[in-house]
Amino acid sequence: MRVKVLHYESLQRALDDNLDDEDKLADLEDESVQVGRELRTLPLDADTVRRVEVCLVTDLVRRFRRRGAAALADLEEAIALGRTRVRAGDESTWATDRVNLASALLTSWEERERADHLEEVVALLEPALADEGLDGEGRTVIALNLGIAYSKRFALRRDPADLERAVTTYEIVLADPAPDTVTGTRANLALALLAAHEAGVAVGTGDPLDRAVALMRDEPVGPTRAEEAGNWWDTRAQVRLAQYERDGLTEHLEEAGAAMGRALAVLPADHPGRAGYLGTAAVLDFARYGRRGERRALDTAISRAQDARARKGLSPQDLAVLANQICLSVTERFEQDGNRDDLDQAISLAREVLAAGPRLDVEMALRVNLAHALHQRFELTRDRRDLTEGIACLRRVLGRRRAPSPERAVALAAAGGMYESKALALWADGQVRTAAADLDQAVRHTREALDLTPTTSPDSVIYLMNLASRLSSRAELKDTPEDFDEAIGCYETALDRAEESSSVYARIAYTLGCQYASRAERTPPPDNLGDLQRACDLWDDALAAEQPYVTQFAGQRLGDVAFQFELWDKCEQALALALDAARALTALRPHLEDRERARLAVQGTAAVAALAAVRAGAPEQAVVHLEQASATLLAEAAGRPADKVVLADVVAAARRLDGPLVYWAATYAGAIALVVTGDGVVTPVPLDVTTTEIDEVLAGLRVAFEPDDAADGPVDTDAQLDSWNAAVEEAGDWTWRALVARVVESMDAVDALEGVSAVGLVPVGRLAALPLTVARSEDSEALFERAVPCVLPNARSIGHAEPWPTAPRATVVCEAGEGADHLPAIESEAHRVASCYDHAEKLVTASTGTAPPDRTARRTRSSAGGSDSAPAAPGGAGEEFLARLRGVDVAHIACHLTLDFDEPLNSVLRYGPGIRLADLYGRTLPSPVHLVLCACDSALTGTRLPDEAIGPAPLLLTAGARSVLAALWPIDDATAPDFMTEYHRRLAHGEPPATALAHTQRAVSTTLPPALWASFVHVGR
């Protein structure tokens, strides 16, 4: 027994001698705990029992800190034994017993957030510190632990008195310190002073942050263990970061980074304490990003925080702190990239941590960051529940954080943004008085945030920008010019203070440019030229920052102004940058809705860029702009990768087509056609037409086909056909005169149509809805009469297709509809089409119903009327549809189509329970089949930006279809079987699809009115 006691004492000496050797320390701790436990079971004298129990409490706590949550039993044993020691009231170890138990309880607080343990520490140590008989070393140790308890209780309750007590007790330690306590105590005091600075708590004399800086200016003092040194450097990094946030000096940020590097170098990669350092490093990376706009710094901040949070053994509080940093960083990444996954991650993580009840300081910070994320999501979805929740979060924070402080400033600025958005939403609802009051509140909150923030702080730049936004909104609502002028002044001041080339600088420059442009619009020329020039200079500065989410809009605005002043080179360059930015943002966004936002106005931008390029004498670049917008962004919108386009790709496509490619693009200021031949020649054809005129022609065509639901009695079907035909002929005549005739003349002048087998038409945007292939006049021939026209969403869709088979395999799928939507001719069509092929699989869903008395169109009544149609049912309809395309060459699909012009991916093919186009998003067809969509409007695309490139035919082509036959307007059910039978007869006899369509249209054009056959276009090669 005596030998075991001596061995235990030697283990204790060895532990003291090897505090910096992690490997030896672990082995020694394990053996010491084992021997200590064995000795407690032996009949030892009271003095030896006392020594063993005191040392065992220390060993158990130390081993728990090394092992983490896996050794929770060690911590419980230490607390139980420590309480036993304190209750024993042993005078010789009275202070030591209290300190040891306090250490175990503080460790328990860190791990399990036991607030009762924190109160127990204070109750243990306050009377101990007041004991006059306590020696200097004992007083130092007790004061140090009591200071830690006060600091942690402040974080929990946010009672300023606790922070004052913490500072006082740390100062007691430093008044007569033991050599091994100086480093740790100075770091703890610096953290307490830093908390006082952030919370606006007065503690003693002098600025608390300056006092913290002075404490951490030197190297660690006295003997230090690795973890203690790491904590020193981590604290120094936090203090320097706070100094940077107050004073805005880059040198402080660099010093913080250097200190953080030393902290990370102290501890091994697998040490539990390293997680906290990674969290501080993530905060530093985020500050670097805010300073210079370095995207890599933002990504590093997120990855470091996520790496730290994934580590084992972290306390709930550590996890909460890291969650707060992740929430802040990924919300900022959303602002950069526009991926809503980041917002959803931030919101769900913040809610999860708040539900667990974090300590008050973390809770308040999380509520501010949650509110910011909710605000961003409201701006994205316009769901006012997010706005309501965010405002509630911030009211709670501001109710708690009343003292002037950086923390309050952050919450005030966030609240200002929420109230501004609320006001604008109410204004849109017509609640002008309430909106004005909310805008006043938004301005007040933001002014107070600015007043609480030093002008040297980087945050002041953000708050100035925020204030300018709120003043600008109020100026517009209340018609107060003084607010508008003050807003411009705030933006100018913010721009002067911002770091050039940073993302913040780019945002300010772009928005300030818009303010000057807005003022220029209200000022008659030439007095507005100064504001216009200033706007253009600012947009140039925004473009120079190379931030895609800013470049996309700054390029469009600068390009539009340059176009107005006929600065063609400048216009083309600016819009080219906007298109590249849209492409980059689209590639970053996995969700369809987010990709659509990235493509906002892309085709219109490309059209203006192309027109500017032609006027600048660069038609080749104009072709690239149009192909880039149509091909690349369509592919990316459908979830497929796309490379940057070069002219050689387009020329190669023309050679594969064996005929010229004709791009058509229209703008508010004119239109252009570009003829590209296989020898690389690009011929521009200026066209005297605008997008406004095109929209008017298409609107007239749509109106003619709308059912007259208000008509009484039976409809005169002959009169109805006459109405349809008149509208088609009028649209065709206009299309010929305004668009096609000059292009044909230009191609004839260079013999572009001589000896070619096809001509490819690439109409951009709304031009694709016009009858370009069949348009003609009385004394001219349409394109389909002179060649084989193919309508193409882009040159990229001209792939290396295999020759059309002489005996194609077919599948025929027909859905006859129900009730008033019953299509009586569709079953006959299915049987007749299938009979054209030697090998055809047929699926006809027969139904009963009464056809309406007017001519029946193959679209649902809800689609025609513009109301919401029944949604497609979830399930395997899309999978079944794709399965029927496997192993066939041609698929005939005859059914209703509910086309959603506003959201084309919500359009539904009424086959089975319905197939949404979105269900085919990103899919690949099982074989390169030619699809015949014998459904109304199936060749049309969306009518609003950014969906002008999205419709059934382009999407199926992108998914891998060889080609698609589709219709530009409603199909007449009664005559469709005749047309389709003739068309499929030609396909079955080996005519390629585009040729078969041209020949069929030539054959029927002499006997049928154009309304019944001219709608069909061949999309693809």
Side-chain angles (χ1 to χ4, degrees):
M1 189 167 58
R2 177 62 180 166
V3 171
K4 185 168 289 222
V5 171
L6 292 173
H7 177 55
Y8 185 70
E9 291 172 348
S10 70
L11 287 172
Q12 292 301 309
R13 289 192 297 271
L15 283 169
D16 291 338
D17 293 340
N18 291 278
L19 290 178
D20 290 328
D21 190 330
E22 293 287 339
D23 293 333
K24 285 186 178 179
L25 191 64
D27 293 338
L28 288 168
E29 280 175 354
D30 290 343
E31 186 176 1
S32 181
V33 168
Q34 180 181 349
V35 173
R37 284 170 171 166
E38 292 173 355
L39 286 173
R40 287 194 69 210
T41 65
L42 300 177
L44 302 173
D45 61 85
D47 184 55
T48 302
V49 169
R50 180 191 310 119
R51 293 200 312 272
V52 169
E53 288 181 344
V54 168
C55 292
L56 185 55
V57 171
T58 302
D59 290 345
L60 287 167
V61 172
R62 188 160 49 192
R63 190 167 77 168
F64 168 79
R65 289 173 179 166
R66 173 169 57 84
R67 290 184 174 183
L72 191 59
D74 284 349
L75 186 59
E76 295 286 3
E77 183 181 351
I79 291 172
L81 183 55
R83 285 171 174 160
T84 299
R85 294 292 313 152
V86 169
R87 284 195 297 270
D90 194 324
E91 293 186 2
S92 61
T93 57
W94 185 82
T96 301
D97 289 337
R98 288 174 178 265
V99 168
N100 283 352
L101 176 55
S103 177
L105 291 168
L106 286 172
T107 303
S108 176
W109 155 252
E110 290 288 351
E111 177 64 26
R112 296 181 292 176
E113 304 174 18
R114 290 285 299 273
D116 57 326
H117 285 182
L118 205 55
E119 297 298 338
E120 188 176 350
V121 171
V122 174
L124 277 169
L125 298 184
E126 278 185 339
L129 188 63
D131 187 355
E132 296 181 356
L134 199 64
D135 61 24
E137 183 177 353
R139 182 177 298 277
T140 295
V141 174
I142 288 174
L144 178 57
N145 281 275
L146 185 56
I148 293 171
Y150 284 141
S151 294
K152 294 185 182 302
R153 197 166 70 174
F154 169 76
L156 178 66
R157 302 191 314 189
R158 305 297 281 182
D159 183 349
D162 280 331
L163 205 52
E164 295 169 13
R165 295 185 189 105
V167 170
T168 300
T169 52
Y170 289 139
E171 288 174 339
I172 290 174
V173 176
L174 292 176
D176 185 21
D180 60 348
T181 62
V182 174
T183 295
T185 305
R186 290 179 70 174
N188 286 335
L189 177 56
L191 288 174
L193 293 167
L194 184 57
H197 161 73
E198 292 172 345
V201 176
V203 284
T205 59
D207 181 84
L209 180 56
D210 290 340
R211 291 162 64 190
V213 169
L215 280 169
M216 303 305 296
R217 184 169 288 124
D218 302 322
E219 299 279 321
V221 178
T224 56
R225 295 182 295 108
E227 189 169 355
E228 193 173 32
N231 290 342
W232 170 273
W233 291 114
D234 178 66
T235 302
R236 180 164 172 171
Q238 293 183 53
V239 169
R240 287 299 190 194
L241 175 59
Q243 196 177 11
Y244 160 73
E245 290 173 343
R246 183 190 67 182
D247 301 338
L249 297 178
T250 305
E251 63 191 65
H252 295 154
L253 189 60
E254 292 171 348
E255 289 170 4
M260 197 68 249
R262 295 187 69 170
L264 290 170
V266 167
L267 294 183
D270 59 347
H271 193 285
R274 191 177 174 86
Y277 301 169
L278 287 172
T280 305
V283 176
L284 280 172
D285 288 323
F286 189 80
R288 288 193 192 97
Y289 157 76
R291 178 75 179 186
R292 304 185 185 95
E294 296 176 0
R295 175 52 190 266
R296 183 174 61 181
L298 177 60
D299 291 339
T300 302
I302 294 171
S303 63
R304 274 182 162 159
Q306 289 175 334
D307 174 37
R309 202 166 189 271
R311 289 171 174 251
K312 296 180 179 179
L314 295 183
S315 71
Q317 292 303 328
D318 287 337
L319 290 170
V321 170
L322 291 167
N324 183 55
Q325 182 58 36
I326 292 170
C327 181
L328 172 65
S329 300
V330 297
T331 301
E332 178 63 28
R333 188 169 65 183
F334 164 79
E335 294 186 40
Q336 288 274 333
D337 297 348
N339 180 1
R340 69 186 61 211
D341 283 348
D342 283 333
L343 277 185
D344 292 341
Q345 178 189 357
I347 292 168
S348 62
L349 183 58
R351 285 172 173 167
E352 173 190 332
V353 175
L354 286 171
R359 68 185 189 224
L360 194 58
D361 60 334
V362 180
E363 178 195 342
M364 295 297 102
L366 256 176
R367 288 193 182 280
V368 172
N369 288 331
L370 172 59
H372 181 49
L374 289 166
H375 188 193
Q376 293 299 316
R377 195 166 72 177
F378 165 75
E379 295 294 336
L380 180 67
T381 66
R382 313 310 293 177
D383 186 338
R384 296 192 187 182
R385 289 174 298 181
D386 285 339
L387 202 59
T388 301
E389 182 183 352
I391 290 174
C393 280
L394 293 169
R395 282 176 175 165
R396 181 166 179 173
V397 173
L398 291 172
R400 288 275 191 172
R401 291 180 171 173
R402 298 184 180 277
S405 65
E407 291 175 338
R408 179 171 173 81
V410 171
L412 284 165
M418 297 292 276
Y419 276 108
E420 180 185 18
S421 290
K422 181 185 174 206
L424 295 177
L426 291 171
W427 185 13
D429 292 343
Q431 300 180 48
V432 177
R433 182 175 297 180
T434 308
D438 280 334
L439 266 179
D440 290 341
Q441 180 76 296
V443 170
R444 284 194 299 272
H445 277 328
T446 312
R447 286 195 194 280
E448 184 181 348
L450 203 53
D451 291 342
L452 294 176
T453 307
T455 58
T456 53
S457 169
D459 287 341
S460 72
V461 176
I462 304 296
Y463 301 159
L464 275 167
M465 185 168 61
N466 293 343
L467 179 58
S469 172
R470 274 124 232 186
L471 288 167
S472 181
S473 296
R474 191 168 71 175
E476 189 174 356
L477 174 63
K478 295 185 174 183
D479 192 21
T480 48
E482 63 274 14
D483 278 338
F484 189 84
D485 292 339
E486 185 183 357
I488 287 182
C490 289
Y491 278 127
E492 290 283 13
T493 304
L495 194 69
D496 288 340
R497 294 182 188 174
E499 182 86 4
E500 284 193 28
S501 79
S502 69
S503 59
V504 172
Y505 185 92
R507 288 204 301 266
I508 298 171
Y510 167 69
T511 311
L512 180 56
C514 293
Q515 294 289 304
Y516 278 112
S518 176
R519 191 164 70 180
E521 290 174 0
R522 299 193 297 272
T523 307
D527 295 341
N528 66 348
L529 293 181
D531 281 344
L532 272 179
Q533 183 61 58
R534 177 62 174 150
C536 291
D537 291 342
L538 287 162
W539 290 330
D540 257 335
D541 291 343
L543 292 174
E546 298 182 349
Q547 301 287 339
Y549 73 106
V550 176
T551 297
Q552 181 181 13
F553 300 105
Q556 289 174 7
R557 294 298 299 267
L558 181 58
D560 286 344
V561 172
F563 191 95
Q564 293 174 29
F565 285 90
E566 300 184 358
L567 303 172
W568 308 124
D569 287 338
K570 185 73 173 178
C571 173
E572 189 269 333
Q573 292 166 8
L575 295 176
L577 289 173
L579 291 170
D580 283 343
R583 176 177 176 271
L585 289 171
T586 304
L588 290 170
R589 300 177 180 181
H591 290 289
L592 175 62
E593 299 90 339
D594 299 332
R595 287 174 176 270
E596 287 184 332
R597 286 187 297 105
R599 294 185 296 109
L600 184 66
V602 160
Q603 290 199 325
T605 300
V608 177
L611 190 56
V614 168
R615 294 180 179 180
E620 296 83 3
Q621 190 59 37
V623 171
V624 171
H625 288 322
L626 295 179
E627 177 66 17
Q628 187 78 62
S630 299
T632 306
L633 294 181
L634 173 62
E636 288 174 348
R640 300 178 183 281
D643 298 325
K644 190 171 176 62
V645 172
V646 295
L647 182 64
D649 297 333
V650 179
V651 173
R655 285 198 293 268
R656 287 196 299 273
L657 183 67
D658 191 24
L661 284 171
V662 185
Y663 288 82
W664 316 69
T667 75
Y668 57 86
I672 191 76
L674 297 153
V675 181
V676 184
T677 54
D679 57 3
V681 175
V682 178
T683 304
V685 184
L687 301 170
D688 187 18
V689 65
T690 66
T691 49
T692 301
E693 294 173 272
I694 293 169
D695 286 340
E696 289 174 355
V697 171
L698 290 174
L701 187 61
R702 297 300 304 172
V703 168
F705 283 92
E706 294 296 344
D708 187 3
D709 295 330
D712 294 328
V715 175
D716 184 341
T717 57
D718 289 336
Q720 188 177 55
L721 178 58
D722 289 342
S723 174
W724 288 5
N725 205 53
V728 169
E729 288 182 339
E730 183 178 352
D733 180 66
W734 182 90
T735 302
W736 172 262
R737 288 183 291 101
L739 298 169
V740 180
R742 294 195 61 186
V743 174
V744 170
E745 290 172 8
S746 178
M747 288 193 290
D748 284 343
V750 296
D751 296 328
L753 291 176
E754 293 298 323
V756 300
S757 61
V759 57
L761 310 182
V762 187
V764 173
R766 300 286 286 129
L767 283 162
L770 290 169
L772 297 169
T773 64
V774 298
R776 61 184 175 183
S777 65
E778 291 182 358
D779 57 351
S780 65
E781 288 185 318
L783 284 173
F784 83 94
E785 294 171 302
R786 301 190 56 183
V788 175
C790 306
V791 176
L792 304 164
N794 47 69
R796 182 177 177 166
S797 60
I798 306 173
H800 295 278
E802 295 294 325
W804 184 251
T806 56
R809 296 158 299 173
T811 186
V812 179
V813 178
C814 296
E815 181 90 18
E818 298 284 348
D821 288 327
H822 176 60
L823 300 172
I826 209 166
E827 294 180 48
S828 170
E829 178 180 321
H831 295 302
R832 293 172 64 183
V833 167
S835 68
C836 294
Y837 296 92
D838 293 334
H839 305 285
E841 179 184 345
K842 182 173 57 178
L843 176 65
V844 181
T845 303
S847 63
T848 58
T850 302
D854 55 347
R855 304 190 76 90
T856 306
R858 292 187 180 175
R859 62 180 175 191
T860 59
R861 296 277 154 163
S862 55
S863 177
S867 61
D868 293 336
S869 60
E879 293 295 334
E880 181 184 345
F881 174 77
L882 293 175
R884 292 195 172 277
L885 305 182
R886 184 172 291 109
V888 299
D889 302 300
V890 58
H892 182 87
I893 314 296
C895 61
H896 281 298
L897 169 66
T898 304
L899 186 62
D900 188 329
F901 288 105
D902 289 334
E903 300 288 347
L905 282 165
N906 286 334
S907 301
V908 179
L909 274 172
R910 293 296 167 184
Y911 164 69
I915 303 168
R916 290 175 65 243
L917 292 190
D919 295 336
L920 303 177
Y921 166 73
R923 304 295 297 273
T924 299
L925 302 186
S927 58
V929 61
H930 170 59
L931 285 162
V932 180
L933 292 183
C934 195
C936 295
D937 305 327
S938 51
L940 297 181
T941 59
T943 57
R944 69 171 180 84
L945 297 170
D947 298 312
E948 290 183 336
I950 299 294
L955 189 65
L956 289 167
L957 207 63
T958 304
R962 175 192 178 107
S963 51
V964 181
L965 182 141
L968 291 172
W969 53 78
I971 297 170
D972 178 46
D973 183 62
T975 57
D978 291 337
F979 184 92
M980 285 298 157
T981 301
E982 175 63 16
Y983 173 67
H984 280 281
R985 185 186 65 78
R986 295 177 180 275
L987 288 179
H989 284 80
E991 285 190 24
T995 305
L997 176 61
H999 289 169
T1000 303
Q1001 287 180 322
R1002 291 173 196 173
V1004 303
S1005 62
T1006 59
T1007 58
L1008 290 177
L1012 303 181
W1013 58 266
S1015 67
F1016 295 111
V1017 292
H1018 177 87
V1019 184
R1021 183 177 179 181

